[in-house]
Each structure stands twice: as structure tokens, then as C-alpha cells.
Amino acid sequence: MSGFDPIRLEVLRNALEATAQEMGSVLKLTSFSPNIKERMDASCAIFTADAELVAQAEHVPVHLGSMLRAVGPTLERTGALADGDVVIVNDPYVGGAHLPDITLIAPVFIDGRRVAHVATRAHHSDVGGMEPGSMPGRSTEIFQEGLIIPPVRLYRAGALQEDILELVLANVRTPEERRGDLNAQLAALRIGARRMGELAERFGAETLEQGLGAILDYTERRMRARMAELPKGVWYAEDCLDSDGSSDEPVRIKVRVELTGDRVLFDFAGTSPQVRGNVNAVAPMCWSATFYCLKLLTDASLPPNAGVLRPVTVDIPKGSFLDAQRPAAVCAGNTETTQRLADTILRAFAQIAPERIAAASNGTMNLIGIGGTDPRNGRPYTYIETSGGGQGGRPMGAGMSGVHANMSNTLNTPIEALEISYPLRCLRYELREGTGGEGRNRGGDGVVRTIQIVGHDARVSLQTDRRAFAPYGLHGGADGAKGRNSTIARDGAVETQPAKGSLTLGDGEAVMLETPGGGGWGTP
């Protein structure tokens, strides 16, 4: 594009990605909840004036790919934003996530001209609903999962709409923590807008806006070039979730990948229809997994923006559980279905480029939510966390152990932070040795994490998978070990629990997650 030589374009691209990274640092450092402050279950990004994703930090893949397809529809609902406006949304059927992921979007105005948007998405530890933590194991409609926030202005021309905020806080179990985390998201937006203003001073507002478009065009050219290098043809793969939580029936994902010239088609025909349980996913979740997997197949150094998907077509059958329709329950669509989508797409990619694709990683976010009344102060609390497992064996070496893989990129909650913040005690946290699949390059091991309830009764929710179907090995490698959930009574008796569900535990009782290992790669 006129005015942008390659060096100048690269300077601008890196400045934008650094801005998104700084937004994430501000969000992490100023948030209240351990889920954001310790685990960084949040993401930040920059969009063009036309709501195309142009830059993002390396935060949580499931957030970033879904925001790519969700900010545009959100702004279509609100209309053009004025200077000082901030939109809040968590409605999955607009914002493309699940209810705990609250997204804030603000325009960036330079000299009265809207040149971009900045956005943050953070997983809040509670947004109401039938279970503490708002991730019930067996919800069957979205109304059970928490407060639904359609796209509305939280700030209008710089003025806080206090009635909107009070409405949100009145429907959650931990209002002060939610207020603090929302303020942290606002701080991230402000630093993003400030840095964009500095870039406009450096380049000029019109040149900056042109540069955003040039970055997308550059990414598209690189993506098409990588596609053209790949073999042409059609490949198939399938995999399945253990169940939807309301029955024991597996939920199947099928994909057909067709490469033609510099374009690729993903066709999910044959995938299971919408289900009663909460593993349903809204369509942006499918785009999110596709975006992530394409980066693995082609070039990890590709700028992570909307240009990646310009040569891509995604066909999702109407009525399938990958394009859920209101009021389907969808909270596990983020955590479990996106992981299985990634497993399925990568299984097809392993046929296209076996030298680039790893065996299946643990394939689940192993989510646990615990909530009740803290006996230390008499106030409600909600703890939410996803746990890592084994990474699949890779063409270049063994898989890593005890890590978040594929669609999750979060950290863990350190034991010290967990026990200070909540009336809980971590009894056991270690690698689950021997759970990675054998292979020329072995899969990584899962983890064991045991959490005890202290001084009260608590509700516990589990959203996990790969308890019935093991993570697959590739090219002669063995499957990784399946996961397991258990509760431990005060007398030490252990009882196996289903992959998805909610239950009450009393003082001194504990819940134990044993997460899956990764599959092995290559014949041992």
C-alpha cells in the first residue's frame, strides 16, 4: 500500500503487537481475581475501524480467534461508537464466547477520526447462574449459565452508565471482584488507546489507518504463499468428545479439508447435531480453532490477524453442535469443544504435513470450579481454574509435561495464591508420571491436582474430557493415558466422578483431577 515500505510496515506491525502485549500486562497487574492476575485467563487485541483484527498479543488462542469473528457483529448491534464510548458484551450468540468471558470494546479517535478499536476479553470467575463459577457441569440452557449481557454501552461519551454496571454486579456472587476486574479491563483499553494515539502522532492518523490495512494485506499475501506450497487434495479426520454431560453418548466432530491453489476449505459435514448438554459451540469457536491450527500448519511467524483467514472457507452444517442456536447451553464449547476441534483439524493436517504436526495433546482444559461462603470472612467466593496435561509427542522431540496446550495458553494458580485467596488447601500437585504415550518421541505426562475444602460446604463443578477416549498417537505412536476425576472422603475413601457434573463437598473432603497424557509420535 502507498506510503509503506517493508521496513516501515514491520516497525508499525511490531509496535501494534507490543501495544496489545502492554494492554495484557496492565490487565494482569491491575486485576483482582487470581484467575486473571495469576493465570492470565484474558486476552487483548487491536482492530481496524471496520472491526478487522489487526494485532494481538500471544494470550489465549480460544479468545483471540473468536474475537476475530465477534467484534464486527457486536458493533453492528451497537452502531458506530462515539469517542469515549465503551461497549460491554458477553452474549455468546453475539460475542462468540461463553458467558464468563466478558468483552470490552472501545473506539480510538484521532483528531475526530475513528481509526481503530481496542478490545479486551477476560474470563470472570463468576457471572451468576446455577453454580458458583458460572461453569456448571450439566447445564442444558444458557439461562442456567449466568447473566447474559447484550452489546450495550458501559461508558457513553466518557461517562460511566452506573445503572448498567449495577445491573451486572447485582447478578454475580462476587461483585467487588467483578468491579475490580472490569476496571482492570478498562485500564487496558485506555493504555491501548493512548499508545495508538502516540503512533498516530508518529505516522499521522491517515497513514496509521492505511498501515492497518497494509498489515492485513501483507499477512494475506504470506498466507496464500504458504498455502500454495502445500500439496493439493482432500483429507478427512474425525474425533469425538466423551459426552455432552447430559448423556453418555459421544459427540462427534468430522472435518473435510480441501486445498486448492492458495485457498483452503474446512467442511464439518457429518458432525453431531446440537446436543442437550453444554458442549455446544457458537460458530466463532470453530473459526478460532481453525485460525490456531492454520498457524501451526503454515508458519508460526505469520502475523496473527484477520489476513490469515482471508483465503479460508469454513462450512459448518446448520443444526450442528458447532453452530449452536439460542438458547442452547454453551459454556463448555470454549473449554472442551475447541480442544477437540483442534485435535480433529490437526489429525487431518498430520496427513498433509507429517513433519510439522504433533500427536494429540491432553485435549481438555480440565476445568474445575468451586464456590461457597468463606468461613474466614462470611463472604461468597468463587474459584475457577483449568489444569494442564501432557503435550503430544512432536516430530522434533518429546511432548512437554504438565502444560496447557492448543486452545489454552493460561498459567496455573500457584498454591500460595490459591490458599491465601480461598478456603481451600492443595494437598497434591505433581506430574502424573508414565501417562504420556510411548513413541519415537514420547508424549508428555499429565498432572495430579488434589484440592481440599476447608471449614465449610462447597459446590464443585467439573468440565473435563478425554476420560473415555484417549489422546491419539501418530505414525505408530501409542495413545496417551485417559484422565480421571475423583472425590476423596474424610476417611480417605476415593470415589470416581464423571467427566462433567456438579456436586457438594463438605469440610475436609477433596476433589482430585488426574489429567490425560499426550499421545506418542512415531514408532517406538
Side-chain angles (χ1 to χ4, degrees), residues 23 38 102 118 122 154 338 357 367 390 399 474:
M23 290 170 65
E38 301 290 350
I102 297 180
V118 287
L154 181 61
T338 57
I357 303 301
L367 184 139
L474 279 179

Side-chain angles (χ1 to χ4, degrees), residues 201-284:
E201 290 178 5
R202 181 177 179 183
F203 291 99
E206 185 174 352
T207 303
L208 173 62
E209 193 170 9
Q210 290 175 349
L212 303 185
I215 289 170
L216 296 176
D217 293 341
Y218 164 72
T219 303
E220 179 185 0
R221 289 194 301 273
R222 282 187 59 183
M223 186 64 181
R224 289 186 183 277
R226 295 294 178 269
M227 294 272 195
E229 296 169 357
L230 295 170
K232 308 302 175 278
V234 179
W235 294 267
Y236 299 85
E238 64 178 86
D239 207 332
C240 56
L241 292 156
D242 295 346
S243 72
D244 71 340
S246 70
S247 77
D248 293 329
E249 289 297 314
V251 184
R252 193 164 302 279
I253 296 175
K254 292 187 176 183
V255 66
R256 172 179 175 269
V257 179
E258 182 176 357
L259 282 164
T260 54
D262 61 355
R263 293 196 58 85
V264 60
L265 164 69
F266 295 87
D267 184 355
F268 290 93
T271 290
S272 292
Q274 184 168 306
V275 293
R276 185 170 183 267
N278 56 29
V279 300
N280 297 296
V282 289

Side-chain angles (χ1 to χ4, degrees), residues 270-305:
T271 290
S272 292
Q274 184 168 306
V275 293
R276 185 170 183 267
N278 56 29
V279 300
N280 297 296
V282 289
M285 294 288 95
C286 200
W287 282 92
S288 180
T290 302
F291 179 92
Y292 168 79
C293 293
L294 278 170
K295 288 265 291 173
L296 293 185
L297 176 68
T298 54
D299 185 351
S301 69
L302 275 171
N305 60 47

Side-chain angles (χ1 to χ4, degrees), residues 34 38-39 376 383 385 412-422 424-430 448-451:
E38 301 290 350
R39 300 187 59 245
R376 299 171 298 181
Y383 156 74
E385 181 165 19
N412 66 351
T413 303
I415 293 172
E416 297 84 353
L418 186 153
E419 295 185 348
I420 288 171
S421 301
Y422 307 111
L424 304 171
R425 182 175 296 123
C426 188
L427 301 181
R428 186 179 176 192
Y429 190 28
E430 61 190 63
V448 181
R449 192 164 172 92
T450 304
I451 298 174

Side-chain angles (χ1 to χ4, degrees), residues 29 45 66 69 99 119 127 182 204 228 277-278 300 316 333 364 370 413 415 460:
L29 292 171
S66 59
R69 304 293 297 184
L99 295 179
V127 290
L182 287 171
N278 56 29
I316 309 171
T364 169
I370 304 176
T413 303
I415 293 172
V460 178

